Amino acid sequence: MSGSQPQQPKLSTEQRLTAYQKKLRALKDGAALREVMEREVLLEFIKVNHGNINEYPLLKAQQQSVVNILCGRVGHPGYEFIHKHIANFIVLLAHYGKAVQVNDATRTKELEAELVNTESMLIKCVQGIVYAMALITDNFEEIVLRYFGQQALGDYSALIEKHQLNEEFWKAFIEQFVASQVEEAHKEILEGEKYTVTKEKNFLVIRFLFDDILGKLNPTTQTIEKTRIQKAYVESRTDEEGIRRAKLMQSMLIKGLESLSKVSDITQTEFLQASRTICVDSVAKDFEALYMERVKQVQARKEGAKDERDKETIEREQLEFNFMREQVVAVGVGAAIAIGRTSDHFYKALTEFVPEQIEGIRHLEKDFSIPVLERILYFLLENIMIHILQETGREYGGKIQVRSGRARRVPEETVDNLAGMSKIRKKQLFANDVTREGTLLFKPKTAKQMSAAMQMLSLEEELQVELSKLWKKAIFRVDIMVLLNLELFARTTTNLKAKLAEVLEKFADKE
């Protein structure tokens, strides 16, 4: 799905260090501030290391997104990690230049090794950013294809080409694929008079069917092939081996970042999603293999096996282990920052469309998996409609409420085929769904009510089990209702009938 740059020829260590030195000299000659110096060296770092970064984006807008996320200074605790390493890199680079100038071969070699190691950490940070961004954009592309059809991919691609992955992109995305669809559905509902008006107790209720909004979707039935990044991520949350690996990455990431001054601001969801993103990188499997080998060695020594390694080998293996663990952390930091900052932009954009309902999905922040994106899509379709209706009746204040009603919907044929389901039992548990032929609605609204109803009817255990399964799998019918409080309206008008007619006309206005 997401395009990436073809592999660039890799520069040698000498070529890369020369490029960094040239950039640093120019910055020092210009008396650049520390913040500017760090940003410019990071920009040079990306320019020099294209060939070392997998899946680096082709599109200019997305390349700029990578740069902006990497070079940010506020908005995420992980920036402390990046700035610590880039600041150290600049200091080492200055010392390296002096060692080269005085022909100190030993010191030059030592500094070169430290520079290459620090460079490797920063490359992994960028890699984590790139993988997280690719996963997010690939998942949204799959949502577009799955729910809006093949023809919608062109619109999505146009947005990706035009916008960086910031708040403006998400506003444009929501407007294009959700808000405009709801507005069009609302207009069609009014034009077709696909709503009902009923008196229920002390309320006049205008009822809209969510089905009429869902009708604007154009879902595809084709199998959607996932990208390599998506496959690796899905494996980390569904495959037993992948789940175990992700847990190990999460443990290393949490431990590796515990020294950050604001580490407590990183949520467990963010750690988990970043750890799953680490599993996209080959370092995850390499580190896991090394870790498991160490566990075996420790266990063997506990059981009496002699450690025959010499001191030099032990030190070398420890250095190798530490270095690979630091790479794991670096990928995770980059991923966490990309996920965190993108989530901030996304939810800020969502607030523009559903300001009064946004808290209902706030707990889903930092998670861009397909199941979560599907929940957000349905939430938006429903709540943008609610927001439209709320704005329509805003001038009437508390006299009007807009809310959703839900009932579990099941096929009537399925219910009729349940062993032991008599007409009397069926009537007690279900009502006809007048909005869709051949379907029934569960009368109980909660699991507790359902359990009590089954007990009252003395249903056989097997039938209770089957009904419970049906209850859990049932799809909701959703009604969006505008409730006009008749008592409150009566208090402020001498002609209630005329006032209600005025309000109904306002909600039926097709303009």
Side-chain angles (χ1 to χ4, degrees):
M1 294 180 189
S2 57
S4 57
Q5 287 206 345
Q7 200 73 8
Q8 301 288 328
K10 294 185 179 181
L11 300 178
S12 67
T13 299
E14 184 180 352
Q15 288 173 317
R16 298 196 310 278
L17 294 181
T18 298
Y20 300 141
Q21 284 182 293
K22 183 177 178 182
K23 171 60 73 172
L24 186 59
R25 278 197 298 270
L27 290 166
K28 286 187 172 181
D29 289 344
L33 296 173
R34 180 171 63 87
E35 291 84 353
V36 174
M37 190 176 295
E38 288 182 3
R39 178 181 172 83
E40 290 301 314
V41 173
L42 282 170
L43 290 174
E44 185 69 18
F45 182 84
I46 291 178
K47 179 181 173 183
V48 166
N49 283 286
H50 271 175
N52 297 332
I53 302 169
N54 294 324
E55 309 282 349
Y56 197 76
L58 277 168
L59 300 173
K60 292 292 184 183
Q62 299 314 304
Q63 290 176 5
Q64 190 59 48
S65 294
V66 173
V67 169
N68 290 344
I69 291 173
L70 177 68
C71 297
R73 299 196 68 84
V74 295
H76 196 279
Y79 281 128
E80 184 180 336
F81 180 95
I82 290 179
H83 292 297
K84 174 185 173 183
H85 280 80
I86 191 62
N88 185 47
F89 186 82
I90 290 171
V91 171
L92 290 172
L93 197 60
H95 291 323
Y96 174 80
K98 292 176 182 177
V100 170
Q101 281 182 343
V102 298
N103 294 318
D104 187 340
T106 301
R107 184 62 176 150
T108 297
K109 188 175 180 180
E110 289 175 355
L111 288 165
E112 182 179 298
E114 288 186 64
L115 280 165
V116 169
N117 284 352
T118 306
E119 179 190 45
S120 177
M121 293 301 105
L122 290 166
I123 288 174
K124 286 302 185 183
C125 285
V126 181
Q127 191 67 78
I129 291 170
V130 169
Y131 281 149
M133 280 181 51
L135 179 64
I136 291 168
T137 54
D138 284 353
N139 281 354
F140 271 96
E141 184 171 330
E142 181 173 329
I143 290 292
V144 169
L145 177 57
R146 183 177 295 182
Y147 289 97
F148 300 96
Q150 184 76 36
Q151 73 281 1
L153 289 183
D155 294 331
Y156 181 74
S157 296
L159 291 178
I160 286 287
E161 289 177 23
K162 181 180 179 181
H163 296 281
Q164 296 174 35
L165 208 61
N166 56 20
E167 187 181 342
E168 293 308 310
F169 170 81
W170 295 118
K171 285 181 183 178
F173 178 90
I174 297 164
E175 180 61 45
Q176 174 80 36
F177 292 105
V178 189
S180 64
Q181 302 293 324
V182 176
E183 288 164 6
E184 191 174 331
H186 180 229
K187 185 178 179 181
E188 290 175 3
I189 289 168
L190 297 182
E191 288 175 345
E193 297 185 356
K194 300 177 184 177
Y195 56 89
T196 61
V197 181
T198 57
K199 185 175 184 298
E200 300 177 16
K201 296 182 179 179
N202 199 37
F203 293 92
L204 196 64
V205 180
I206 312 170
R207 191 180 303 269
F208 300 86
L209 295 179
F210 190 48
D211 287 351
D212 291 327
I213 298 170
L214 294 180
K216 298 301 295 180
L217 300 180
N218 182 29
T220 183
T221 55
Q222 72 181 76
T223 301
I224 300 173
E225 181 67 23
K226 292 188 180 292
T227 63
R228 181 190 75 82
I229 292 174
Q230 285 180 304
K231 288 176 182 176
Y233 174 84
V234 170
E235 183 181 288
S236 75
R237 61 186 292 269
T238 59
D239 177 76
E240 186 178 340
E241 184 179 327
I243 292 170
R244 186 178 66 242
R245 184 178 303 123
K247 284 183 177 179
L248 175 61
M249 299 305 114
Q250 186 174 6
S251 173
M252 294 300 110
L253 183 58
I254 291 172
K255 187 172 180 60
L257 298 184
E258 62 186 6
S259 64
L260 297 185
S261 60
K262 295 185 178 179
V263 67
S264 60
D265 291 347
I266 304 177
T267 66
Q268 286 305 305
T269 297
E270 208 167 346
F271 273 123
L272 177 59
Q273 297 304 321
S275 300
R276 288 172 175 167
T277 307
I278 296 171
C279 294
V280 175
D281 195 285
S282 59
V283 74
K285 286 186 178 179
D286 292 342
F287 177 76
E288 182 187 35
L290 202 60
Y291 181 86
M292 296 311 295
E293 181 59 34
R294 283 171 67 93
V295 169
K296 287 180 183 177
Q297 290 175 359
V298 170
Q299 186 60 37
R301 287 195 288 275
K302 282 183 178 179
E303 295 172 357
K306 186 179 179 182
D307 187 353
E308 297 181 351
R309 298 172 300 167
D310 57 28
K311 183 180 179 181
E312 186 178 329
T313 300
I314 291 172
E315 289 178 352
R316 187 184 69 250
E317 289 182 356
Q318 185 62 47
L319 286 173
E320 180 186 358
F321 180 84
N322 291 344
F323 178 68
M324 197 169 290
R325 181 177 59 195
E326 288 168 2
Q327 287 194 314
V328 164
V329 172
V331 176
V333 168
I337 293 173
I339 291 167
R341 297 300 293 134
T342 303
S343 185
D344 291 344
H345 294 317
F346 181 54
Y347 279 81
K348 194 171 182 183
L350 290 179
T351 305
E352 294 280 320
F353 295 89
V354 286
E356 295 174 36
Q357 297 85 16
I358 187 67
E359 294 307 316
I361 52 169
R362 190 71 74 178
H363 64 286
L364 300 176
E365 281 183 319
K366 312 298 196 298
D367 188 343
F368 289 99
S369 62
I370 293 291
V372 165
L373 295 187
E374 288 176 326
R375 289 177 63 183
I376 292 174
L377 171 62
Y378 281 94
F379 175 89
L380 285 176
L381 289 168
E382 178 181 338
N383 284 280
I384 288 176
M385 179 66 171
I386 288 174
H387 183 64
I388 290 171
L389 297 173
Q390 285 176 330
E391 290 303 304
T392 302
R394 182 73 65 186
E395 65 182 274
Y396 302 107
K399 298 171 191 173
I400 288 179
Q401 299 175 44
V402 183
R403 63 178 62 164
S404 295
R406 283 170 164 70
R408 284 177 164 81
R409 172 190 273 164
V410 291
E412 186 170 15
E413 185 180 357
T414 303
V415 174
D416 289 341
N417 289 335
L418 291 173
M421 180 56 69
S422 66
K423 287 184 178 180
I424 294 175
R425 288 171 166 179
K426 179 179 171 182
K427 190 173 182 180
Q428 290 291 321
L429 293 170
F430 298 94
N432 288 325
D433 184 354
V434 296
T435 68
R436 183 177 294 182
E437 189 177 348
T439 61
L440 300 173
L441 300 173
F442 274 101
K443 285 184 176 180
K445 300 299 182 185
T446 65
K448 188 176 181 179
Q449 290 175 0
M450 183 63 187
S451 178
M454 290 192 294
Q455 292 295 326
M456 182 191 71
L457 293 168
S458 301
L459 300 187
E460 296 81 5
E461 186 176 345
E462 184 179 341
L463 180 56
Q464 289 194 39
V465 170
E466 292 304 313
L467 279 170
S468 295
K469 289 179 183 177
L470 200 58
W471 168 275
K472 290 175 183 176
K473 291 192 295 184
I475 295 172
F476 282 104
R477 167 186 146 179
V478 180
D479 294 357
I480 299 173
M481 299 169 288
V482 180
L483 286 78
L484 283 64
N485 191 311
L486 298 176
E487 184 180 337
L488 292 180
F489 271 105
R491 290 178 186 174
T492 56
T493 183
T494 56
N495 190 338
L496 180 60
K497 186 175 180 180
K499 189 64 177 178
L500 293 177
E502 171 198 310
V503 177
L504 290 174
E505 180 64 28
K506 191 174 183 66
F507 278 96
D509 189 355
K510 304 173 183 64
E511 296 301 322

mmCIF file of all heavy atoms in Angstrom, residues 325-362:
data_model
loop_
_atom_site.group_PDB
_atom_site.id
_atom_site.type_symbol
_atom_site.label_atom_id
_atom_site.label_comp_id
_atom_site.label_asym_id
_atom_site.label_seq_id
_atom_site.Cartn_x
_atom_site.Cartn_y
_atom_site.Cartn_z
ATOM 1 N N ARG A 325 20.082 -4.612 22.598
ATOM 2 C CA ARG A 325 18.980 -4.166 23.458
ATOM 3 C C ARG A 325 18.729 -2.669 23.266
ATOM 4 O O ARG A 325 17.573 -2.231 23.197
ATOM 5 C CB ARG A 325 19.304 -4.464 24.921
ATOM 6 C CG ARG A 325 18.187 -4.051 25.894
ATOM 7 C CD ARG A 325 18.545 -4.447 27.301
ATOM 8 N NE ARG A 325 19.804 -3.833 27.722
ATOM 9 C CZ ARG A 325 20.506 -4.215 28.783
ATOM 10 N NH1 ARG A 325 20.085 -5.218 29.536
ATOM 11 N NH2 ARG A 325 21.636 -3.603 29.105
ATOM 12 N N GLU A 326 19.813 -1.898 23.134
ATOM 13 C CA GLU A 326 19.674 -0.457 22.911
ATOM 14 C C GLU A 326 19.028 -0.172 21.556
ATOM 15 O O GLU A 326 18.268 0.795 21.406
ATOM 16 C CB GLU A 326 21.037 0.224 23.004
ATOM 17 C CG GLU A 326 21.567 0.292 24.436
ATOM 18 C CD GLU A 326 23.025 0.705 24.496
ATOM 19 O OE1 GLU A 326 23.608 0.965 23.414
ATOM 20 O OE2 GLU A 326 23.590 0.770 25.607
ATOM 21 N N GLN A 327 19.307 -1.022 20.568
ATOM 22 C CA GLN A 327 18.670 -0.860 19.258
ATOM 23 C C GLN A 327 17.170 -1.120 19.350
ATOM 24 O O GLN A 327 16.368 -0.423 18.723
ATOM 25 C CB GLN A 327 19.303 -1.797 18.236
ATOM 26 C CG GLN A 327 20.694 -1.375 17.789
ATOM 27 C CD GLN A 327 21.141 -2.133 16.554
ATOM 28 O OE1 GLN A 327 21.000 -3.345 16.475
ATOM 29 N NE2 GLN A 327 21.678 -1.417 15.581
ATOM 30 N N VAL A 328 16.808 -2.127 20.117
ATOM 31 C CA VAL A 328 15.383 -2.415 20.349
ATOM 32 C C VAL A 328 14.703 -1.188 20.948
ATOM 33 O O VAL A 328 13.628 -0.759 20.508
ATOM 34 C CB VAL A 328 15.219 -3.633 21.288
ATOM 35 C CG1 VAL A 328 13.797 -3.695 21.857
ATOM 36 C CG2 VAL A 328 15.550 -4.925 20.553
ATOM 37 N N VAL A 329 15.335 -0.605 21.961
ATOM 38 C CA VAL A 329 14.772 0.575 22.631
ATOM 39 C C VAL A 329 14.667 1.739 21.648
ATOM 40 O O VAL A 329 13.662 2.460 21.629
ATOM 41 C CB VAL A 329 15.624 0.963 23.851
ATOM 42 C CG1 VAL A 329 15.155 2.293 24.440
ATOM 43 C CG2 VAL A 329 15.575 -0.134 24.906
ATOM 44 N N ALA A 330 15.677 1.910 20.816
ATOM 45 C CA ALA A 330 15.684 3.031 19.868
ATOM 46 C C ALA A 330 14.530 2.924 18.867
ATOM 47 O O ALA A 330 13.853 3.914 18.580
ATOM 48 C CB ALA A 330 17.026 3.091 19.134
ATOM 49 N N VAL A 331 14.301 1.725 18.333
ATOM 50 C CA VAL A 331 13.163 1.530 17.424
ATOM 51 C C VAL A 331 11.863 1.861 18.158
ATOM 52 O O VAL A 331 10.976 2.544 17.625
ATOM 53 C CB VAL A 331 13.101 0.084 16.880
ATOM 54 C CG1 VAL A 331 11.857 -0.096 16.014
ATOM 55 C CG2 VAL A 331 14.346 -0.259 16.078
ATOM 56 N N GLY A 332 11.776 1.385 19.394
ATOM 57 C CA GLY A 332 10.575 1.623 20.192
ATOM 58 C C GLY A 332 10.339 3.094 20.481
ATOM 59 O O GLY A 332 9.198 3.562 20.459
ATOM 60 N N VAL A 333 11.409 3.827 20.755
ATOM 61 C CA VAL A 333 11.284 5.271 21.014
ATOM 62 C C VAL A 333 10.726 5.977 19.776
ATOM 63 O O VAL A 333 9.783 6.769 19.861
ATOM 64 C CB VAL A 333 12.641 5.884 21.410
ATOM 65 C CG1 VAL A 333 12.563 7.407 21.373
ATOM 66 C CG2 VAL A 333 13.043 5.424 22.790
ATOM 67 N N GLY A 334 11.326 5.678 18.618
ATOM 68 C CA GLY A 334 10.847 6.297 17.377
ATOM 69 C C GLY A 334 9.390 5.970 17.118
ATOM 70 O O GLY A 334 8.591 6.854 16.769
ATOM 71 N N ALA A 335 9.029 4.704 17.314
ATOM 72 C CA ALA A 335 7.639 4.281 17.104
ATOM 73 C C ALA A 335 6.701 4.964 18.084
ATOM 74 O O ALA A 335 5.620 5.438 17.704
ATOM 75 C CB ALA A 335 7.536 2.760 17.231
ATOM 76 N N ALA A 336 7.110 5.026 19.355
ATOM 77 C CA ALA A 336 6.254 5.644 20.379
ATOM 78 C C ALA A 336 6.011 7.119 20.083
ATOM 79 O O ALA A 336 4.891 7.620 20.233
ATOM 80 C CB ALA A 336 6.895 5.480 21.758
ATOM 81 N N ILE A 337 7.062 7.822 19.654
ATOM 82 C CA ILE A 337 6.902 9.243 19.332
ATOM 83 C C ILE A 337 5.961 9.411 18.142
ATOM 84 O O ILE A 337 5.054 10.257 18.168
ATOM 85 C CB ILE A 337 8.270 9.895 19.033
ATOM 86 C CG1 ILE A 337 9.128 9.932 20.301
ATOM 87 C CG2 ILE A 337 8.090 11.312 18.480
ATOM 88 C CD1 ILE A 337 10.554 10.409 20.072
ATOM 89 N N ALA A 338 6.168 8.606 17.102
ATOM 90 C CA ALA A 338 5.314 8.708 15.909
ATOM 91 C C ALA A 338 3.860 8.391 16.250
ATOM 92 O O ALA A 338 2.940 9.089 15.818
ATOM 93 C CB ALA A 338 5.822 7.766 14.820
ATOM 94 N N ILE A 339 3.652 7.346 17.034
ATOM 95 C CA ILE A 339 2.288 6.967 17.433
ATOM 96 C C ILE A 339 1.678 8.053 18.314
ATOM 97 O O ILE A 339 0.525 8.461 18.117
ATOM 98 C CB ILE A 339 2.301 5.613 18.177
ATOM 99 C CG1 ILE A 339 2.662 4.483 17.212
ATOM 100 C CG2 ILE A 339 0.948 5.332 18.835
ATOM 101 C CD1 ILE A 339 3.012 3.168 17.895
ATOM 102 N N GLY A 340 2.444 8.532 19.281
ATOM 103 C CA GLY A 340 1.939 9.536 20.211
ATOM 104 C C GLY A 340 1.591 10.845 19.534
ATOM 105 O O GLY A 340 0.501 11.395 19.727
ATOM 106 N N ARG A 341 2.513 11.362 18.713
ATOM 107 C CA ARG A 341 2.277 12.655 18.063
ATOM 108 C C ARG A 341 1.156 12.545 17.031
ATOM 109 O O ARG A 341 0.318 13.447 16.911
ATOM 110 C CB ARG A 341 3.564 13.157 17.376
ATOM 111 C CG ARG A 341 4.709 13.431 18.323
ATOM 112 C CD ARG A 341 4.363 14.486 19.356
ATOM 113 N NE ARG A 341 4.186 15.804 18.755
ATOM 114 C CZ ARG A 341 3.184 16.631 19.026
ATOM 115 N NH1 ARG A 341 2.248 16.277 19.908
ATOM 116 N NH2 ARG A 341 3.098 17.814 18.456
ATOM 117 N N THR A 342 1.123 11.439 16.272
ATOM 118 C CA THR A 342 0.055 11.251 15.278
ATOM 119 C C THR A 342 -1.290 11.132 15.967
ATOM 120 O O THR A 342 -2.297 11.670 15.494
ATOM 121 C CB THR A 342 0.333 9.999 14.420
ATOM 122 O OG1 THR A 342 1.617 10.126 13.788
ATOM 123 C CG2 THR A 342 -0.728 9.843 13.338
ATOM 124 N N SER A 343 -1.321 10.428 17.091
ATOM 125 C CA SER A 343 -2.563 10.296 17.847
ATOM 126 C C SER A 343 -3.036 11.658 18.352
ATOM 127 O O SER A 343 -4.233 11.971 18.295
ATOM 128 C CB SER A 343 -2.367 9.340 19.024
ATOM 129 O OG SER A 343 -3.578 9.118 19.706
ATOM 130 N N ASP A 344 -2.104 12.491 18.811
ATOM 131 C CA ASP A 344 -2.459 13.845 19.261
ATOM 132 C C ASP A 344 -3.119 14.627 18.127
ATOM 133 O O ASP A 344 -4.151 15.285 18.321
ATOM 134 C CB ASP A 344 -1.211 14.595 19.744
ATOM 135 C CG ASP A 344 -0.634 14.022 21.036
ATOM 136 O OD1 ASP A 344 -1.349 13.260 21.721
ATOM 137 O OD2 ASP A 344 0.539 14.321 21.333
ATOM 138 N N HIS A 345 -2.508 14.573 16.944
ATOM 139 C CA HIS A 345 -3.053 15.295 15.781
ATOM 140 C C HIS A 345 -4.432 14.734 15.398
ATOM 141 O O HIS A 345 -5.355 15.494 15.093
ATOM 142 C CB HIS A 345 -2.100 15.165 14.587
ATOM 143 C CG HIS A 345 -0.781 15.826 14.773
ATOM 144 N ND1 HIS A 345 -0.646 17.078 15.338
ATOM 145 C CD2 HIS A 345 0.482 15.423 14.466
ATOM 146 C CE1 HIS A 345 0.639 17.419 15.359
ATOM 147 N NE2 HIS A 345 1.337 16.427 14.850
ATOM 148 N N PHE A 346 -4.545 13.412 15.414
ATOM 149 C CA PHE A 346 -5.790 12.744 14.994
ATOM 150 C C PHE A 346 -6.953 13.115 15.914
ATOM 151 O O PHE A 346 -8.032 13.510 15.459
ATOM 152 C CB PHE A 346 -5.565 11.235 14.986
ATOM 153 C CG PHE A 346 -6.765 10.430 14.543
ATOM 154 C CD1 PHE A 346 -7.396 10.687 13.340
ATOM 155 C CD2 PHE A 346 -7.253 9.405 15.338
ATOM 156 C CE1 PHE A 346 -8.494 9.944 12.925
ATOM 157 C CE2 PHE A 346 -8.343 8.641 14.938
ATOM 158 C CZ PHE A 346 -8.964 8.921 13.732
ATOM 159 N N TYR A 347 -6.721 13.036 17.223
ATOM 160 C CA TYR A 347 -7.812 13.309 18.166
ATOM 161 C C TYR A 347 -8.132 14.796 18.251
ATOM 162 O O TYR A 347 -9.281 15.168 18.534
ATOM 163 C CB TYR A 347 -7.491 12.710 19.538
ATOM 164 C CG TYR A 347 -7.809 11.234 19.571
ATOM 165 C CD1 TYR A 347 -6.923 10.303 19.040
ATOM 166 C CD2 TYR A 347 -9.019 10.774 20.072
ATOM 167 C CE1 TYR A 347 -7.221 8.950 19.021
ATOM 168 C CE2 TYR A 347 -9.334 9.423 20.063
ATOM 169 C CZ TYR A 347 -8.428 8.522 19.536
ATOM 170 O OH TYR A 347 -8.729 7.178 19.502
ATOM 171 N N LYS A 348 -7.152 15.636 17.970
ATOM 172 C CA LYS A 348 -7.446 17.070 17.904
ATOM 173 C C LYS A 348 -8.354 17.353 16.707
ATOM 174 O O LYS A 348 -9.290 18.162 16.796
ATOM 175 C CB LYS A 348 -6.136 17.862 17.781
ATOM 176 C CG LYS A 348 -6.314 19.355 18.058
ATOM 177 C CD LYS A 348 -4.969 20.055 18.150
ATOM 178 C CE LYS A 348 -5.144 21.534 18.464
ATOM 179 N NZ LYS A 348 -3.846 22.241 18.491
ATOM 180 N N ALA A 349 -8.106 16.662 15.591
ATOM 181 C CA ALA A 349 -8.958 16.808 14.413
ATOM 182 C C ALA A 349 -10.357 16.263 14.689
ATOM 183 O O ALA A 349 -11.365 16.881 14.293
ATOM 184 C CB ALA A 349 -8.338 16.083 13.218
ATOM 185 N N LEU A 350 -10.445 15.134 15.382
ATOM 186 C CA LEU A 350 -11.746 14.551 15.711
ATOM 187 C C LEU A 350 -12.599 15.523 16.524
ATOM 188 O O LEU A 350 -13.825 15.599 16.345
ATOM 189 C CB LEU A 350 -11.565 13.261 16.514
ATOM 190 C CG LEU A 350 -11.003 12.038 15.783
ATOM 191 C CD1 LEU A 350 -10.865 10.868 16.752
ATOM 192 C CD2 LEU A 350 -11.881 11.636 14.617
ATOM 193 N N THR A 351 -11.949 16.271 17.400
ATOM 194 C CA THR A 351 -12.665 17.213 18.263
ATOM 195 C C THR A 351 -13.397 18.273 17.447
ATOM 196 O O THR A 351 -14.434 18.792 17.869
ATOM 197 C CB THR A 351 -11.691 17.884 19.251
ATOM 198 O OG1 THR A 351 -10.996 16.863 19.980
ATOM 199 C CG2 THR A 351 -12.419 18.775 20.240
ATOM 200 N N GLU A 352 -12.869 18.589 16.273
ATOM 201 C CA GLU A 352 -13.524 19.569 15.402
ATOM 202 C C GLU A 352 -14.894 19.076 14.946
ATOM 203 O O GLU A 352 -15.795 19.864 14.690
ATOM 204 C CB GLU A 352 -12.647 19.832 14.169
ATOM 205 C CG GLU A 352 -11.332 20.503 14.462
ATOM 206 C CD GLU A 352 -11.468 22.000 14.650
ATOM 207 O OE1 GLU A 352 -12.239 22.620 13.894
ATOM 208 O OE2 GLU A 352 -10.804 22.538 15.553
ATOM 209 N N PHE A 353 -15.040 17.758 14.824
ATOM 210 C CA PHE A 353 -16.266 17.190 14.267
ATOM 211 C C PHE A 353 -17.243 16.709 15.338
ATOM 212 O O PHE A 353 -18.450 16.756 15.130
ATOM 213 C CB PHE A 353 -15.914 16.034 13.319
ATOM 214 C CG PHE A 353 -15.154 16.465 12.097
ATOM 215 C CD1 PHE A 353 -13.764 16.517 12.116
ATOM 216 C CD2 PHE A 353 -15.819 16.839 10.948
ATOM 217 C CE1 PHE A 353 -13.053 16.932 10.998
ATOM 218 C CE2 PHE A 353 -15.121 17.259 9.824
ATOM 219 C CZ PHE A 353 -13.729 17.315 9.847
ATOM 220 N N VAL A 354 -16.729 16.218 16.444
ATOM 221 C CA VAL A 354 -17.606 15.703 17.509
ATOM 222 C C VAL A 354 -17.141 16.247 18.860
ATOM 223 O O VAL A 354 -16.756 15.486 19.758
ATOM 224 C CB VAL A 354 -17.642 14.154 17.511
ATOM 225 C CG1 VAL A 354 -18.458 13.623 16.348
ATOM 226 C CG2 VAL A 354 -16.222 13.559 17.472
ATOM 227 N N PRO A 355 -17.168 17.565 19.043
ATOM 228 C CA PRO A 355 -16.596 18.170 20.258
ATOM 229 C C PRO A 355 -17.239 17.700 21.554
ATOM 230 O O PRO A 355 -16.551 17.590 22.569
ATOM 231 C CB PRO A 355 -16.834 19.676 20.038
ATOM 232 C CG PRO A 355 -17.942 19.756 19.033
ATOM 233 C CD PRO A 355 -17.749 18.575 18.153
ATOM 234 N N GLU A 356 -18.535 17.408 21.523
ATOM 235 C CA GLU A 356 -19.228 17.018 22.755
ATOM 236 C C GLU A 356 -19.194 15.516 22.999
ATOM 237 O O GLU A 356 -19.594 15.055 24.071
ATOM 238 C CB GLU A 356 -20.684 17.515 22.696
ATOM 239 C CG GLU A 356 -20.805 19.030 22.674
ATOM 240 C CD GLU A 356 -22.240 19.500 22.477
ATOM 241 O OE1 GLU A 356 -23.150 18.835 23.006
ATOM 242 O OE2 GLU A 356 -22.440 20.517 21.798
ATOM 243 N N GLN A 357 -18.728 14.759 22.017
ATOM 244 C CA GLN A 357 -18.733 13.298 22.140
ATOM 245 C C GLN A 357 -17.333 12.683 22.195
ATOM 246 O O GLN A 357 -17.190 11.486 22.422
ATOM 247 C CB GLN A 357 -19.501 12.669 20.953
ATOM 248 C CG GLN A 357 -20.967 13.025 20.879
ATOM 249 C CD GLN A 357 -21.215 14.349 20.157
ATOM 250 O OE1 GLN A 357 -20.356 14.852 19.465
ATOM 251 N NE2 GLN A 357 -22.411 14.893 20.320
ATOM 252 N N ILE A 358 -16.301 13.496 21.985
ATOM 253 C CA ILE A 358 -14.943 12.976 21.815
ATOM 254 C C ILE A 358 -14.474 12.130 22.992
ATOM 255 O O ILE A 358 -13.736 11.152 22.816
ATOM 256 C CB ILE A 358 -13.944 14.141 21.556
ATOM 257 C CG1 ILE A 358 -12.553 13.599 21.218
ATOM 258 C CG2 ILE A 358 -13.902 15.079 22.741
ATOM 259 C CD1 ILE A 358 -12.470 12.866 19.925
ATOM 260 N N GLU A 359 -14.925 12.459 24.204
ATOM 261 C CA GLU A 359 -14.463 11.706 25.373
ATOM 262 C C GLU A 359 -14.905 10.251 25.315
ATOM 263 O O GLU A 359 -14.320 9.390 25.974
ATOM 264 C CB GLU A 359 -14.965 12.352 26.663
ATOM 265 C CG GLU A 359 -14.378 13.739 26.932
ATOM 266 C CD GLU A 359 -12.851 13.761 26.875
ATOM 267 O OE1 GLU A 359 -12.229 12.834 27.440
ATOM 268 O OE2 GLU A 359 -12.294 14.691 26.275
ATOM 269 N N GLY A 360 -15.918 9.967 24.501
ATOM 270 C CA GLY A 360 -16.407 8.595 24.372
ATOM 271 C C GLY A 360 -15.425 7.648 23.719
ATOM 272 O O GLY A 360 -15.558 6.424 23.846
ATOM 273 N N ILE A 361 -14.432 8.205 22.998
ATOM 274 C CA ILE A 361 -13.420 7.334 22.370
ATOM 275 C C ILE A 361 -12.002 7.693 22.809
ATOM 276 O O ILE A 361 -11.036 7.167 22.267
ATOM 277 C CB ILE A 361 -13.493 7.365 20.824
ATOM 278 C CG1 ILE A 361 -13.460 8.813 20.318
ATOM 279 C CG2 ILE A 361 -14.703 6.617 20.318
ATOM 280 C CD1 ILE A 361 -13.258 8.904 18.809
ATOM 281 N N ARG A 362 -11.896 8.574 23.789
ATOM 282 C CA ARG A 362 -10.572 8.999 24.232
ATOM 283 C C ARG A 362 -9.727 7.815 24.707
ATOM 284 O O ARG A 362 -8.501 7.812 24.564
ATOM 285 C CB ARG A 362 -10.718 10.024 25.359
ATOM 286 C CG ARG A 362 -9.453 10.717 25.754
ATOM 287 C CD ARG A 362 -8.955 11.684 24.720
ATOM 288 N NE ARG A 362 -9.717 12.912 24.638
ATOM 289 C CZ ARG A 362 -9.411 13.912 23.814
ATOM 290 N NH1 ARG A 362 -8.375 13.793 23.003
ATOM 291 N NH2 ARG A 362 -10.156 15.012 23.784
#
